[in-house]
Every structure is written in structure tokens, then in C-alpha cells.
Amino acid sequence: MFENENDEKPLAELFAVYAKDVSRLAAQPKIVESFDALQQGRPEPEQLLDREDELPLAQLLEIKKERFRHSCRDSKKKNPLKSKKVRGEVKRGKRRSTRSNDLQMSRRFRPEDETTKWDSLEHNGVLFPPEYVPHGRPLLYNGSEIALPPEAEEVATFFAAKLGTDYVTKATFRKNFFEDFRKTLPSSLRERILRLEDCDFSRIRAYLDDLKEQKQNMPASKRKELRESEALRVAPYTVAIVDGRKEKVANFRVEPPGLFLGRGDHPLMGRVKRRITPEDVTLNLGPGAPIPPCPTPDHHWGSIVHNRKVTWLACWRDPISDEYKYVWLNAASHFKAVSDQEKFEKAQQLSKHITRIRKEYIKDFDSPNRHVQQRSVALYLIDKLALRVGNEKGDDEADTVGCCSLRVEHVLLQEPNTVQLDFLGKDSMRYFNKVTIDPRVFRRMREFIKGKKLFENIFDELKVDELNDYLKSLMPGLSAKVFRTYNASYTLDRLLNGTSTPGSDFHSRLLFYNEANKNVAILCNHQRSLPKTHTVMVGENPRTT
DNA sequence: ACATCGGACTCAGAAAGATTATG
DNA sequence: ACATAATCTTTCTGAGTCCGATG
């Protein structure tokens, strides 16, 4: 179906064809059956994908008729939203600060706000987890029963729930938990409870196991009944009305309290993540929208804002990381469709410039300027190996790296031009790869490493922002992550439309697709650890079978 | 003028839950 | 037909990227 002769064509053509496909979907309420799609040489992604991210065909096909109507209209423009009409009653200006209540600047005082995301926004706020109900099960300390006050009991119960996981074997987790747990104890108990090793949470655990079993033994009818009444209770929070469209909310539940579970060797793992109160929560609403009543009578919302430049419905600060947490619309919403489309259009743009850009950075391998050399080598690795860019990280985060933050210890150079990369990337997933690289890159890397200690940065003269600024100069809107999207898309296309083809039957087509998808996952180093309770097939990627 | 940082958004694997296969 | 296991799907929230405001 597509030509694959050079780097630049396939993706662009691909998108043209899929755009057609999307408009066909737009005209028909029903999504194609997977078999039909396969018959036409295109799998139906919703059923076939491991992961939907970074797989553009899937994403585009996924666009349903409704959101298509809104998003494709202005798809050629830089910001598809800007041409949206201003609705009558909304005359409020943009806000400088989401925290301030200043709404007085009228629209007519500024030219045209290209960043406005909506004109009216209505929703019912967020759903808080139920208050803690004490169960009265004791902690055993050196064998003797200790009744805990509710606050401490709750925290002890968080820990009991984690028994059996390998979190409880980790020293950091235990230390952090125990410190925070002791803070919840009244002083009399705090003097007594001194060592986690002497704490026995088994009574509490037994209670949790009981609850679970009761749930399991519940007759199917009763379970169904419960599920339905719960769905009814939750229903008001599941939708928002955005510019008159009814949209589904993704994470309308406020994160419940619990123990912080970081990935990998996170210094904060085991810390108690405290309960979020309405006072912590900021709601973003249309200026004319009713303010949802605060669900707990003695409380009030932290603040109400009318920030039309953002797409979130609510936010609060994470008590552990102090980062913002947001409530968004779900992946099928207009907002997400638009940004998805922009993402893939950007990747498509890159496909038109990639040959030029590659020439450019190859030329820079020979630059006399060390900074330019590092920039070009880093970009080469990002392009060739689909590495992430690797921003700086703080002391309160796990030590993981990406391209720009690679250290000497992560790299092994083997003559004449093989590099072995071994590091922990995002989510502390191990990246291990041994590849031959351009000899010029090999030589440069040897130079960058020379005389440095193991813990020193290879790209010591390169900052992520500088790299991205440079990319902007090569192509508007270009940043490091676009290479990942582009290379994933390009690879999938090449595999699906390359020389090898599947048999005609459904099953072999499915296998063919899954195989292509698996290869994209390998490129992007997407992987899951094997469930540890099961027998492990050594060397087998869990996603293959 | 420029480096830093706050903020908003996507990306990601684990866990939980639902469904289907199996013995 | 039934219990259990395997697998697939959804939810959850932590972990990244990146841009524009700030000083």
C-alpha cells in the first residue's frame, strides 16, 4: 500500500491514508470490526494493541466520529482550538494566576487568545474516598496486643495491606513507613513501639483477608447489585460538559491516602501519603457554571478558578512530591484528541525533515566545538536508539537517567565501534543494549568519557533545554520526544507495510500485527516485569505470549 | 538577556478487576 | 458444569517531557 523507499515518505503517506480512514469513521457511527480492518490490511487497533501510546495508526483510528468533527476541522492550523467561536455569555478574560480571583480583564483588551482551550466548562467536582472506619484489630508488639487509635490504626493497616509484597523487604520502605507510623502514635505508645521488627501486623492482615474473602464469596447477584448502586453514586462525577459537549472524566476520584509506592529505588517509598481534603483541591469551572457543593459539610474547596487556558477540571498538590495532580477528561475526549493529533502531525512533519536533520547532526560530529559535538552525539543516540532526552532529577527521586543524563558508568565502549548501554530509565526500567554505532560517534564518546569518573555526566556540556532549543531551530515545534513518536510510528509502518506479509487468515494476521507491535515495544524499551507469583519462562518477553 | 522554575501535559508499569480458557 | 488459572482490560498514580513565566 505504501512506498518505503526512503525515510521521508511513508509516514506522510500513511497519515494521508489514515486521515481518509478517520473521515470514513466520522461518517459512520460504528467502528470497523477487526476482521474487516485486517482484510483491508489494517488491523483494528483497539483490540490489537498492547499499548496505545506512541502508536499513531491506532490513535488516529481511535478517533471517533464525535471528536473528529471537532478536531479535524482546523487540523492544519497551529492551534486547532483557536478558531473556535466565543460563546455568547463568556466575556471573561484570561487569568494570570490560577490562584488569584482576578477575572476582570475583558477579552477585548487583548488581541486574540490563541491558548484558550474552552469557553464553558461545567462539572460536579471530584469524588473523595470514604472516611476511615476503624476496625479495632490490634497490633501485636513483642507478642502483646496494642489497641491503636484510629489514625495510627489506619496507617498500620496501610502497611498490613502491603505484607507479602517486596516493598516490605526494602530497608528504605520500612524506615520511611516506621518513621511516619510512629508520628501517628500517642507519646505513651511511641515510647514503647521502637522497632518495626517487633511489630506484628498479622491480626490486621487477617482482617483484610477476611474482607476480601467475604467479597469473593458474595453471590454474583449481590455483587452485581453493589456494582450498580456504586455506579449510580459515582455517576455525577464521571462527566463534564465542555462547550456543550458531554465528555467523560478520567480520574474523578481523589487519590486515597496510603503508603507512597515509588518505582525502583525511590528514597520516599513507604512514606505515608496523607488524605486529601477539599481545602487542598482547586476546581476549574466556567465562570457561569454552578460551583459544586463541597461534599463534606465542615469543609470548603481550596479555591475555584476559571482558567480557560488549561484543560484540567481540578487539581491539588501531591503531599509526597508536592507536584500538581490534575483531574482530566478521558482519552476519548476532544481535548485529548486534539493534542494527540497535534502530536502525530508533529511526527509527520519530522518525517519530512528527518533526512536534512540527520545530515545536519552528522556534520556536527566533526565540529571543533565540544558543545556542538555533544549535542550532535546525543541527538544521534536519541534518533537511533529512541532514548528519552533525560532531564535532571532531584535528590528526592529515584536515580534514573535518559540520554543527556547518561553517566560514564552507564556506557561501555568496545572497539572498533560498539557501545553497550546499561542504565535505569523511566520507571527504573533497565535499558540494556549493545549496538554498533557510527565510528565518528564512537570516537566522540570516547573523548567525552576520557578522564571522567564513573559518576560524571558524559554530556557535561549539554543541557536538555539547549538541545530542544536547537531542535526548534531545525523545525518549528520539534523537541526530543518527537523522535520517539516518529521512530515508533515509522517502525510500525515499515513492519506492517514492508516486504514481509502475513497469511490471509485472521489468526496469522493477528500474529503478524502483534509481532510488529512487539518490535516497536522493543525499540521503545517498553516492558513489564513478570508477575512474581507465577512460574517464569526464562528469557521470554511477557508481551510475546 | 538569560537561566531557573512552576505548571501542565503525556507517558508508563503495577495492581485490580473482568473475562475467558482449562482441566 | 465448576473451580481455578490464565489472560485481557481498566484503573491508578508515579515518572517523565517541555514550555513559558519569572526574577
Side-chain angles (χ1 to χ4, degrees):
Chain A
M1 188 185 328
F2 307 124
E3 300 288 322
N4 277 311
E5 278 122 40
N6 68 43
D7 285 349
E8 296 160 88
K9 280 197 175 145
L11 199 62
E13 291 175 3
L14 192 67
F15 273 87
V17 172
Y18 276 89
K20 243 164 58 192
D21 213 295
V22 172
S23 52
R24 187 172 57 78
L25 289 179
Q28 298 172 354
K30 216 175 119 224
I31 298 298
V32 285
E33 297 296 322
S34 54
F35 183 72
D36 292 340
L38 286 167
Q39 294 289 66
Q40 296 161 33
R42 287 186 301 274
E44 208 288 277
E46 286 180 340
Q47 291 175 28
L48 304 183
L49 283 179
D50 286 339
R51 306 197 59 84
E52 62 177 42
D53 55 271
E54 295 176 342
L55 301 175
L57 319 186
Q59 298 275 7
L60 282 184
L61 274 175
E62 204 187 285
I63 297 172
K64 307 290 196 300
K65 56 176 171 146
E66 201 170 36
R67 62 189 228 191
F68 178 78
R69 177 160 35 90
H70 294 283
S71 58
C72 68
R73 183 180 52 205
D74 302 314
S75 62
K76 285 293 180 286
K77 296 183 183 158
K78 196 164 179 202
N79 183 349
L81 287 173
K82 74 173 179 188
S83 70
K84 205 189 297 172
K85 288 179 292 299
V86 182
R87 278 182 173 59
E89 82 283 8
V90 183
K91 282 281 180 269
R92 299 299 191 172
K94 67 170 182 183
R95 305 174 53 74
R96 299 246 94 217
S97 152
T98 57
R99 297 265 172 199
S100 116
N101 281 321
D102 167 26
L103 281 173
Q104 299 314 306
M105 195 183 12
S106 155
R107 262 201 161 192
R108 65 196 149 86
F109 290 125
R110 61 208 155 86
E112 198 188 14
D113 189 349
E114 305 221 346
T115 61
T116 295
K117 300 284 175 58
W118 50 266
D119 292 317
S120 77
L121 173 62
E122 217 171 301
H123 59 84
N124 292 312
V126 291
L127 188 65
F128 290 88
E131 271 181 56
Y132 181 68
V133 184
H135 49 64
R137 301 301 191 284
L139 169 76
L140 302 181
Y141 194 73
N142 280 324
S144 41
E145 290 188 5
I146 294 180
L148 297 171
E151 195 199 347
E153 183 193 283
E154 185 180 15
V155 171
T157 307
F158 294 155
F159 190 79
K162 291 287 168 276
L163 291 173
T165 70
D166 51 356
Y167 280 112
V168 293
T169 68
K170 294 182 181 175
T172 310
F173 186 86
R174 298 176 68 85
K175 177 178 158 289
N176 284 337
F177 161 73
F178 196 59
E179 268 178 36
D180 282 1
F181 175 53
R182 289 188 78 243
K183 287 179 199 155
T184 67
L185 296 170
S187 54
S188 60
L189 284 178
R190 197 178 308 154
E191 284 161 24
R192 208 174 138 193
I193 298 177
L194 299 170
R195 284 162 35 99
L196 179 56
E197 287 65 35
D198 296 329
C199 294
D200 177 349
F201 299 86
S202 62
R203 295 277 191 90
I204 300 175
R205 179 51 183 253
Y207 163 77
L208 293 176
D209 290 343
D210 269 5
L211 281 185
K212 203 173 168 186
E213 203 187 317
Q214 276 174 36
K215 223 179 200 172
Q216 266 172 358
N217 294 336
M218 196 182 286
S221 58
K222 176 85 179 169
R223 212 185 299 185
K224 190 177 171 213
E225 194 180 298
L226 265 177
R227 208 190 317 156
E228 283 168 3
S229 68
E230 173 65 6
L232 222 58
R233 180 180 79 94
V234 155
Y237 303 97
T238 62
V239 292
I241 299 174
V242 186
D243 292 342
R245 299 184 304 271
K246 203 179 211 183
E247 304 255 37
K248 286 201 173 141
V249 182
N251 54 328
F252 53 85
R253 288 172 204 273
V254 171
E255 293 173 17
L259 302 183
F260 177 81
L261 307 177
R263 305 273 167 80
D265 206 358
H266 200 295
L268 299 180
M269 65 166 83
R271 288 247 107 96
V272 172
K273 195 167 89 168
R274 56 154 261 256
R275 185 174 292 267
I276 303 297
T277 68
E279 284 77 5
D280 298 320
V281 176
T282 297
L283 296 183
N284 193 22
L285 291 158
I291 295 168
C294 181
T296 31
D298 297 339
H299 292 260
H300 59 86
W301 298 116
S303 70
I304 305 290
V305 300
H306 313 284
N307 186 349
R308 298 163 59 231
K309 295 165 90 171
V310 297
T311 65
W312 51 263
L313 311 185
C315 76
W316 65 87
R317 295 282 200 139
D318 184 278
I320 298 291
S321 65
D322 201 38
E323 305 273 317
Y324 283 93
K325 288 294 176 76
Y326 300 93
V327 175
W328 312 104
L329 295 179
N330 80 351
S333 65
H334 177 59
F335 288 156
K336 300 300 182 191
V338 168
S339 65
D340 251 23
Q341 188 158 359
E342 285 171 349
K343 174 178 74 181
F344 290 115
E345 278 168 0
K346 221 181 267 177
Q348 188 182 2
Q349 277 300 116
L350 177 54
S351 76
K352 292 178 189 152
H353 295 282
I354 190 73
T355 302
R356 192 192 95 229
I357 289 171
R358 284 172 178 161
K359 273 188 195 142
E360 197 82 18
Y361 70 64
I362 286 169
K363 177 170 61 78
D364 285 346
F365 294 159
D366 298 323
S367 164
N369 181 325
R370 173 61 65 105
H371 169 259
V372 173
Q373 291 169 9
Q374 293 200 352
R375 196 177 66 190
S376 62
V377 168
L379 184 52
Y380 172 86
L381 294 176
I382 286 169
D383 187 20
K384 183 178 172 70
L385 303 175
L387 301 187
R388 296 187 184 84
V389 69
N391 280 296
E392 307 249 332
K393 295 192 74 179
D395 294 341
D396 268 2
E397 300 172 275
D399 176 23
T400 62
V401 299
C403 185
C404 294
S405 46
L406 279 171
R407 301 189 294 260
V408 174
E409 58 189 311
H410 300 127
V411 170
L412 203 64
L413 296 172
Q414 293 169 343
E415 301 287 346
N417 63 332
T418 300
V419 62
Q420 178 181 300
L421 293 171
D422 189 356
F423 61 89
L424 295 182
K426 183 177 181 184
D427 295 316
S428 294
M429 299 308 287
R430 185 177 177 198
Y431 181 94
F432 182 89
N433 200 2
K434 200 169 155 180
V435 278
T436 59
I437 53 176
D438 188 305
R440 289 164 291 186
V441 172
F442 186 86
R443 271 182 261 126
R444 287 302 178 206
M445 288 188 76
R446 206 170 44 194
E447 290 166 17
F448 300 159
I449 283 168
K450 197 174 173 192
K452 283 185 190 159
K453 303 271 193 327
L454 282 176
F455 57 85
E456 289 187 273
N457 281 159
I458 294 173
F459 300 106
D460 58 317
E461 293 191 21
L462 181 63
K463 289 266 184 304
V464 169
D465 285 346
E466 289 166 2
L467 176 57
N468 278 333
D469 285 350
Y470 167 67
L471 292 175
K472 293 272 171 308
S473 78
L474 296 177
M475 183 193 114
L478 188 60
S479 67
K481 83 190 279 278
V482 182
F483 284 83
R484 247 170 100 81
T485 312
Y486 163 72
N487 279 312
S489 304
Y490 175 77
T491 302
L492 186 65
D493 175 48
R494 182 170 52 77
L495 294 172
L496 291 181
N497 299 306
T499 47
S500 127
T501 48
S504 55
D505 62 302
F506 176 81
H507 198 68
S508 66
R509 281 165 183 267
L510 181 61
L511 287 177
F512 182 77
Y513 182 84
N514 285 342
E515 181 61 22
N517 214 22
K518 193 187 101 184
N519 281 297
V520 176
I522 290 168
L523 174 74
C524 293
N525 200 41
H526 285 157
Q527 50 189 296
R528 285 166 196 245
S529 31
L530 300 159
K532 49 188 175 308
T533 47
H534 290 108
T535 47
V536 182
M537 279 161 69
V538 187
E540 185 74 301
N541 187 320
R543 310 165 73 98
T544 29
T545 47

